[in-house]
Amino acid sequence: MASHGVPRVAETAPRTEAQRLEEERQIREYRDLEDLIATKIAERQYTIEVLELTSKLLKKNPEYYTIWNVRRRLLIYGLFSKPSGLSSHSTASPNTSTTDTTKASSGISSSSTTTSSEASTTSPQNPASPNHGKNGTTLDLIKAELEFLFPIMMKYPKCYWLWNYRIWLLQEANERLEPEIARQLWNRELILVGKMLVKDSRNFHGWGYRRKVVSEVESQKLGGHSIVESEFEYTTKMIHGDKGLSNFSAWHRRSKLIPRLLDERKASDEARRQFLDDEFELIISAMYTDSYPYQQSAWFYYQFLMTTLTDYVGHGTIIPHFTLEDRAEYVSRQLVILRDMLDGAEDCKWIYNALIEYTMALCRMEERVPESDEKQECETWLAELRKLDPDRSGRWDDLERALRNP
Amino acid sequence: MSLVSGPGRAGGNALPEELQLAIEPHVKYIQSLDTRKDELEYWLTEHLRLNGLYWGLNALHLLNRPDALHRKETIDFVLSCQADNGGFGAAPGHDAHLLYTASAVQILAMVDGFGELEKRGKAGGAMAVGKYIAALQNRKTGTFAGDEWGEEDTRFICCAFVGLSLLKLLQFVDVEKAVDYIISCANFDGGYGVAPGAESHSGQIFACCAALTIARRLDTVEKDKLGMWLSERQVEGGGLNGRPEKLEDVCYSWWVSSSLSMIGRLHWIDGGKLSRFILNCQDTEHGGLADRPGDMVDVFHTNFGLAGLALLEFDGLEEVDAAYCMPKKVIERVLGPGYYNDS
Ligand SMILES: [Zn+2]
């Protein structure tokens, strides 16, 4: 109903009678399956068999959010609470979802199979252990669910309900399992989301999921510790990867990690200054490479760095103890670099835009009106912007007005 | 009473020089959507049915054809989607969720059906719906979950505010706290993400701007920064993308341009070029709009494409409200004739 990038190459020819009958059969099969699940749920049959039925339906239609909710209820009102020795898991027939999906899983974690079979084999010997019930059966179920989801997520990486369901499962693990075991599950997710982001380095579900996973891996209640250094490294790796410089998602993530990274490093003022210099160096050398002065992702990251100088907010920035003079000096230095950059890139609108913006910002910082030569230069740059980027002429009109009345 | 995607192809090369809005084919396309029950696709998209009805009905309203769907059938279907907890699901028997609850309220507002909600809805009428929505607010942070399972997303603040304000029940929730939460989602580029720390995304920006418009707190937006980021969504061909370095798409012609409009910067993009891009995405023969020229049409892109054109004051379309994505006429009828004067 909201299709993206699906070309329709030819007129739809009328269906043949055979095709019509086939589609009718598929509809009947699908709706029968829906009805069967509804009946079983109305009878409160919270069993592995019904879980299997929902698997079948969700493979046909992963967007069917109500069925994901049915699955949640099956787990929390039925399957999770089964005592370990009598777990529906070990009494179920060999083709339960666990066996199925473990085989089918493309092996994001080869260790999971071993762990879960260990748990199953030890469980009968230890039927009375309450701890085992807590970590054993429930852990097996959660792992099986995660494995079941993986191939569907690879196929439908933009389906909200899948990501939600996955997060929900892991939150259940937090509630129901030992913190150490729950944290191991979250750690594996970090590997999984890394794979998803290799497949599509801009998937915002993936980046959002990564954020959540990291905060769980780091959480004290699971006995975790900060991984801000390795996360920062990860963004460096992404930026240097294929098409990485235009990966705004990675630049964005980097911008969010930096304040915490420096805090945790207990970075001195000198170290912070050096850090800022290095980041400017990184982005500017990136702009000199290939066609990057024309790519907006790099310019937005440049905006982030400049914002730390121009829109001073105190804490939570790279250089909290920079004086006004320090900041003004840095902005002036950047204005020189930007002018140099124009050489050979006279048709790059981003440079003119930055020159005007930061010239005006410098005046605001120094609480003065622009000098007449600054004003004149801004007008020249603005004329270039109008020429290079006529689509945004309304923006340039407003900018001109702002230049006249600073 | 339900709408799904159906066959049809957006024109590519075969378009006439003078791009026309294919009003009649669009009306027929939307009317035909409920007659496809013999197609598997119809059943596979049931989870979007109530959204689909809102998209189709809104498109018809913008096309000046508000009566093209049967009013009583529309109301009957909406009410059949209400769950016992007062919220609405995508279709009868589907679980309640804020996404569908907002659509239900929007549809009822369009067909002047709040009276029927009182009479035939779950006990409590509008109050029951308001209570369902209010219970989803996270009282600690101010944001909203989409349903009882707890997923939080700035889109749901928008859904909650749209639904509650149309029912005149905004006082049921802590608006100030929700506004503070939105502010905490703002990024250095002026945009907003799903949650604090998340990358700016046009869909979320629309949701946050719409919520702030309804709360009358657009003063909190860094309008020049956001306007700059949004205006850079326009690509060479006139269409708009959702994030830097992504492909243009008709649905973003709505998320981006409505956000620009809400912050008073719609003139920062080339409206003429955008109109032409949207018109190029029409299937002028069979009706409907697609995400890009030459792609398969669907009712989602049909609605947001037409809404984009309406926002650009395209001739022959009703005026559209940027925050509610509904005809201004309807908003004035529901919220009072003075609504656009006080804002
Ligand atoms: Zn789209």
Side-chain angles (χ1 to χ4, degrees):
Chain A
M1 185 160 342
S3 62
H4 283 108
V6 184
R8 198 157 179 104
V9 279
E11 288 294 322
T12 20
R15 287 176 297 181
T16 64
E17 182 61 9
Q19 282 169 329
R20 195 186 63 77
L21 287 173
E22 171 58 16
E23 192 154 1
E24 209 176 272
R25 189 193 62 75
Q26 287 176 359
I27 293 171
R28 214 178 315 118
E29 196 181 283
Y30 179 79
R31 301 196 65 199
D32 285 349
L33 186 54
E34 269 186 292
D35 289 346
L36 184 60
I37 293 170
T39 310
K40 302 258 180 196
I41 293 300
E43 293 166 356
R44 299 188 175 276
Q45 290 195 37
Y46 298 142
T47 61
I48 282 284
E49 285 70 29
V50 182
L51 193 78
E52 270 295 278
L53 293 175
T54 67
S55 303
K56 212 168 141 188
L57 189 57
L58 288 166
K59 277 185 206 159
K60 287 180 201 276
N61 186 4
E63 296 274 4
Y64 202 154
Y65 72 98
T66 302
I67 300 299
W68 288 112
N69 295 345
V70 165
R71 211 168 164 94
R72 287 174 167 107
R73 293 189 190 101
L74 284 171
L75 292 171
I76 55 181
Y77 301 132
L79 304 171
F80 279 161
S81 54
K82 289 274 188 328
S84 61
L86 305 165
S87 81
S88 49
H89 196 91
S90 38
T91 54
S93 60
N95 57 341
T96 60
S97 68
T98 325
T99 336
D100 261 3
T101 51
T102 315
K103 269 189 213 137
S105 85
S106 35
I108 52 146
S109 52
S110 49
S111 68
S112 79
T113 326
T114 344
T115 326
S116 65
S117 62
E118 257 168 31
S120 319
T121 44
T122 49
S123 97
Q125 299 164 349
N126 228 343
S129 157
N131 233 3
H132 189 85
K134 199 176 161 205
N135 283 336
T137 312
T138 303
L139 176 62
D140 288 350
L141 278 166
I142 289 176
K143 278 185 172 169
E145 287 295 279
L146 294 172
E147 302 269 332
F148 166 68
L149 273 175
F150 184 68
I152 306 180
M153 292 179 83
M154 288 303 269
K155 204 166 158 193
Y156 304 94
K158 290 186 176 165
C159 175
Y160 281 92
W161 310 111
L162 298 174
W163 294 96
N164 292 343
Y165 185 70
R166 195 165 188 97
I167 280 279
W168 176 83
L169 279 171
L170 289 148
Q171 281 163 349
E172 287 298 308
N174 285 357
E175 298 300 316
R176 294 169 189 275
L177 305 176
E178 302 295 342
E180 176 57 27
I181 291 173
R183 192 162 52 83
Q184 282 170 15
L185 290 177
W186 286 105
N187 273 329
R188 284 181 12 189
E189 293 305 290
L190 212 50
I191 300 165
L192 171 129
V193 76
K195 289 195 180 183
M196 301 286 289
L197 289 174
V198 165
K199 205 176 164 216
D200 174 4
S201 64
R202 294 297 304 283
N203 184 340
F204 87 97
H205 296 279
W207 285 98
Y209 190 69
R210 185 166 192 103
R211 227 179 39 246
K212 286 182 197 159
V213 169
V214 168
S215 80
E216 293 290 338
V217 165
E218 292 181 328
S219 83
Q220 283 190 344
K221 66 178 192 289
L222 299 184
H225 60 272
S226 172
I227 55 167
V228 69
E229 290 284 353
S230 63
E231 278 303 285
F232 185 73
E233 271 306 301
Y234 179 75
T235 67
T236 311
K237 199 184 87 191
M238 291 300 270
I239 290 160
H240 289 133
D242 183 36
K243 289 195 196 137
L245 291 174
S246 61
N247 187 341
F248 183 64
S249 306
W251 289 113
H252 165 85
R253 175 102 175 118
R254 190 173 180 88
S255 79
K256 292 288 171 182
L257 291 168
I258 288 173
R260 192 154 75 87
L261 179 86
L262 292 171
D263 280 353
E264 289 186 16
R265 282 181 185 175
K266 297 195 171 58
S268 65
D269 286 347
E270 195 37 50
R272 286 169 176 271
R273 180 190 287 266
Q274 186 61 51
F275 187 93
L276 182 61
D277 291 345
D278 291 347
E279 287 302 291
F280 269 121
E281 172 66 29
L282 171 72
I283 196 70
I284 287 161
S285 63
M287 284 175 179
Y288 273 105
T289 325
D290 300 331
S291 59
Y292 287 107
Y294 303 92
Q295 296 264 344
Q296 41 180 285
S297 290
W299 283 103
F300 283 115
Y301 190 68
Y302 185 78
Q303 180 192 25
F304 160 71
L305 294 178
M306 291 302 281
T307 305
T308 66
L309 299 166
T310 58
D311 301 13
Y312 185 63
V313 289
H315 186 74
T317 175
I318 301 177
I319 28 84
H321 298 133
F322 258 33
T323 62
L324 179 62
E325 288 72 32
D326 290 332
R327 293 189 287 119
E329 186 204 315
Y330 262 68
V331 173
S332 305
R333 197 188 303 165
Q334 285 305 316
L335 287 171
V336 174
I337 291 173
L338 287 168
R339 279 167 203 270
D340 289 348
M341 208 184 275
L342 270 182
D343 187 20
E346 290 85 356
D347 60 344
C348 178
K349 68 161 188 166
W350 294 93
I351 306 176
Y352 298 107
N353 189 55
L355 278 167
I356 299 174
E357 185 163 347
Y358 301 122
T359 301
M360 290 173 77
L362 184 63
C363 296
R364 274 197 306 275
M365 285 163 71
E366 294 179 337
E367 293 178 0
R368 59 177 176 85
V369 292
E371 315 270 348
S372 66
D373 59 327
E374 283 174 326
K375 222 169 169 170
Q376 216 167 15
E377 275 189 310
C378 282
E379 273 163 24
T380 316
W381 294 326
L382 183 62
E384 291 296 328
L385 279 176
R386 285 190 183 281
K387 217 163 48 198
L388 292 168
D389 189 9
D391 289 356
R392 276 159 279 264
S393 63
R395 198 170 118 202
W396 313 136
D397 291 344
D398 288 359
L399 186 56
E400 187 166 354
R401 219 162 295 138
L403 277 173
R404 290 216 185 107
N405 315 297
Chain B
M1 176 51 60
S2 33
L3 310 171
V4 287
S5 63
R9 178 163 52 114
N13 26 29
L15 276 168
E17 285 232 320
E18 192 72 309
L19 290 170
Q20 303 275 334
L21 182 63
I23 295 180
E24 275 316 308
H26 294 325
V27 172
K28 285 214 181 73
Y29 165 72
I30 296 165
Q31 286 175 320
S32 80
L33 291 170
D34 198 38
T35 63
R36 300 180 187 270
K37 291 180 184 164
D38 60 343
E39 292 172 20
L40 182 61
E41 178 70 7
Y42 179 94
W43 299 102
L44 290 179
T45 53
E46 205 178 22
H47 61 277
L48 283 174
R49 202 74 83 213
L50 201 52
N51 292 154
L53 181 54
Y54 156 69
W55 296 326
L57 188 64
N58 190 53
L60 290 170
H61 273 251
L62 296 177
L63 290 164
N64 278 305
R65 295 291 300 277
D67 302 322
L69 294 182
H70 194 276
R71 178 174 181 271
K72 184 173 177 301
E73 278 178 29
T74 301
I75 296 175
D76 288 350
F77 179 74
V78 172
L79 294 179
S80 75
C81 296
Q82 194 175 20
D84 289 335
N85 59 16
F88 291 80
H94 291 231
D95 287 353
H97 193 288
L98 257 184
L99 287 170
Y100 312 106
T101 305
S103 285
V105 175
Q106 286 174 298
I107 296 165
L108 291 174
M110 279 193 275
V111 298
D112 200 2
F114 288 154
E116 297 294 309
L117 175 66
E118 291 307 316
K119 258 188 278 175
R120 297 196 279 135
K122 299 286 175 202
M127 296 287 268
V129 183
K131 280 182 190 154
Y132 169 78
I133 299 175
L136 292 170
Q137 186 172 33
N138 181 333
R139 296 280 160 169
K140 259 203 323 240
T141 65
T143 193
F144 283 80
D147 63 13
E148 62 193 288
W149 302 104
E151 182 212 2
E152 294 179 343
D153 181 325
T154 41
R155 284 181 308 152
F156 305 145
I157 305 178
C158 175
C159 291
F161 280 17
V162 163
L164 289 171
S165 63
L166 290 173
L167 295 169
K168 300 196 178 125
L169 295 175
L170 209 50
Q171 71 277 11
F172 275 21
V173 293
D174 191 337
V175 172
E176 207 179 319
K177 211 154 207 179
V179 168
D180 287 343
Y181 184 85
I182 293 174
I183 294 170
S184 75
C185 295
N187 291 317
F188 68 84
D189 49 33
Y192 302 88
V194 180
E199 178 185 350
S200 296
H201 179 290
S202 300
Q204 314 299 141
I205 291 171
F206 163 80
C208 291
C209 286
L212 292 172
T213 301
I214 292 168
R216 301 193 176 238
R217 289 303 310 278
L218 282 169
D219 60 290
T220 62
V221 181
E222 289 214 64
K223 299 193 183 68
D224 282 339
K225 275 189 189 167
L226 178 56
M228 184 259 199
W229 191 90
L230 287 169
S231 71
E232 294 297 342
R233 297 308 105 237
Q234 187 159 39
V235 303
E236 205 52 39
L240 305 173
N241 62 16
R243 288 185 288 157
E245 257 77 77
K246 302 282 282 185
L247 281 177
E248 70 274 29
D249 180 338
V250 154
C251 60
Y252 289 106
S253 66
W254 174 256
W255 312 125
V256 174
S257 59
S258 62
S259 303
L260 280 168
S261 163
M262 285 186 265
I263 62 169
R265 307 245 180 324
L266 185 55
H267 60 291
W268 282 18
I269 55 171
D270 189 326
K273 265 187 152 177
L274 176 57
S275 301
R276 283 192 293 282
F277 170 76
I278 299 173
L279 290 166
N280 253 312
C281 294
Q282 298 180 100
D283 179 336
T284 48
E285 198 182 331
H286 304 100
L289 283 89
D291 60 344
R292 273 185 285 283
D295 280 356
M296 180 134 114
V297 305
D298 60 63
V299 67
F300 172 83
H301 288 97
T302 302
N303 174 50
F304 290 113
L306 292 172
L309 287 174
L311 195 73
L312 296 164
E313 294 173 11
F314 194 86
D315 227 19
L317 290 176
E318 276 291 322
E319 279 187 85
V320 67
D321 183 281
Y324 287 96
C325 194
M326 288 164 66
K328 282 191 172 180
K329 259 189 196 165
V330 172
I331 301 300
E332 278 184 317
R333 175 166 50 68
V334 176
L335 298 180
Y339 179 74
Y340 291 105
N341 304 329
D342 315 336
S343 35

